[in-house]
Amino acid sequence: MVHGYKGVTFHNWAETYGCCPEMYYQPTSVEEIREVLALARQQNKRVKVVGGGHSPSDIACTDGFMIHMGKMNRILQVDTEKKQVTVEAGILLADLNPQLDKHGLALSNLGAVSDVTAAGVIGSGTHNTGIKHGILATQVVALTLLTADGTVLECSESHNARMFQAVRVHLGCLGVILTVTLQCVPQFHLQETSFPSTLREVLDNLDSHLKKSEYFRFLWFPHSENVSVIYQDHTNKPPSSSSNWFWDYAVGFYLLEFLLWISTFLPGLVGWINRFFFWLLFTRKKESSNLSYKIFTYECRFKQHVQDWAIPREKTKEVLLELKAVLEAHPKVVAHFPVEVRFSRGDDILLSPCFQRDSCYMNIIMYRPYGKDVSRLDYWLAYETIMKKVGGRPHWAKAHNCTRKDFEKMYPAFPKFCAIREQLDPTGMFLNAYLEKVFY
């Protein structure tokens, strides 16, 4: 008999969203999850599955039953010949990456945060950068799903192929992911090189930058022309680091947080802070090299609000210049650094933000110094307006103001996904307030 807890409060990592589920479960087996779903059917309760809790939105919140997958976190099989690994859905990438390394394997691409689960990163459409690389869900070759009625479905290109197209980016609304099989590559090292540039230079030479580096991204510092270009590429160089506690923490975290807190009283300081920190930390060329997963992932130090939309890649220049023009025309609208710009290859996953098109992701951020919320609504609205105008699609894990009408325009396969969702979960057991806005 699975044991549940009352009185648990759930918060996401940034502490921007939270909820008090009626019951909180930490199952250790498929049978225990089945018990929770059977109880939910009997009592007409909704169920929400959570992993690392990193999504900066309310996608994981519920007042019904919450299932935390942290105890279903084993590696089930490593096939070194096929270079594939099968894992339980609750394994954290922070635990998986070193284990893959022991087998001489690695994932070809990873997001910045590693305290996230295998099922969570695929289900929310998590991405990194590299125009030859898709979002993380494109590395999935098979998975198993427990549906609302307790049936286990095996999905891959050869089994339940129609479901497989949907379930790789599942939004937590199709059932409970039990296992995930990921396609790996041989272990590799990366060299990261960062150097200063200008927005005009990067946008005028975008194709050249994309060709020069396998994992290219750049950081724009709003209220300026300043850009930090970041290349990550395969290397045979031994591990080396340019990190420094004084600059990375004393200045890059503690001083920055204090100045951003001051700017909540004097918003005009934000432009100066952006330019000052670029001059202080980003005007020198920096190089470091290490195992791929140690270069891909880094620590998110600040609690923050973020938006991250995928737009057609060819719209990158137009959108960034328009965002810059809006900020220049409205000096009272302030934007923290950086605007992070990344790229992903198109795919055929029904609700992937990169569905049928190569994409540019544009991530904007407003920090919460010492947990204090900063005025951001004008910036958010200006950004969303531009994104919608060019056919943008929001990152599923991050907060946005879109409704079903928007998604029907954005996603050619939206009706197909809805039909699959209604087939797998006809009573809406796996819905919550966030998902109701998406589907109703």
Side-chain angles (χ1 to χ4, degrees), residues 50-90:
V50 296
H54 255 272
S55 294
S57 71
D58 55 344
I59 193 170
C61 291
T62 186
D63 56 4
F65 291 177
M66 180 172 275
I67 297 175
H68 185 275
M69 294 292 282
K71 291 184 177 176
M72 294 185 68
N73 62 351
R74 294 174 301 155
I75 294 176
L76 300 175
Q77 186 184 14
V78 179
D79 185 331
T80 48
E81 199 172 301
K82 287 184 178 174
K83 300 183 180 64
Q84 291 176 357
V85 61
T86 301
V87 297
E88 288 184 312

Side-chain angles (χ1 to χ4, degrees), residues 21-55:
E22 184 181 326
M23 293 296 287
Y24 181 86
Y25 296 95
Q26 291 181 292
T28 58
S29 68
V30 177
E31 279 314 307
E32 288 186 355
I33 301 174
R34 268 209 183 94
E35 282 180 43
V36 176
L37 299 190
L39 200 60
R41 286 196 302 276
Q42 286 167 21
Q43 299 182 15
N44 198 25
K45 299 292 184 186
R46 286 187 164 177
V47 176
K48 190 71 357 230
V49 183
V50 296
H54 255 272
S55 294

Side-chain angles (χ1 to χ4, degrees), residues 47 149 157 167 201 227:
V47 176
D149 66 3
E157 294 283 7
V167 80
E201 185 282 323
V227 162

Side-chain angles (χ1 to χ4, degrees), residues 82-102:
K82 287 184 178 174
K83 300 183 180 64
Q84 291 176 357
V85 61
T86 301
V87 297
E88 288 184 312
I91 193 168
L92 294 175
L93 296 191
D95 297 325
L96 174 60
N97 291 326
Q99 293 303 315
L100 286 179
D101 187 56
K102 287 179 184 174

Side-chain angles (χ1 to χ4, degrees), residues 12 62 74 118 172 224 249 309 337 347 355-357 366 386 394:
N12 68 340
T62 186
R74 294 174 301 155
S224 80
Y249 272 89
W309 286 49
F337 79 84
D347 59 54
F355 181 71
Q356 293 184 343
R357 70 185 193 200
M366 289 298 277
I386 296 168

Side-chain angles (χ1 to χ4, degrees), residues 222-223 267 270 323 326-336 366 375-383:
H223 311 295
V270 169
L323 186 60
V326 166
L327 292 174
E328 286 168 355
H330 301 87
K332 288 188 177 175
V333 178
V334 297
H336 291 166
M366 289 298 277
S375 173
R376 68 182 192 283
L377 294 183
D378 290 339
Y379 183 28
W380 253 226
L381 184 61
Y383 170 88

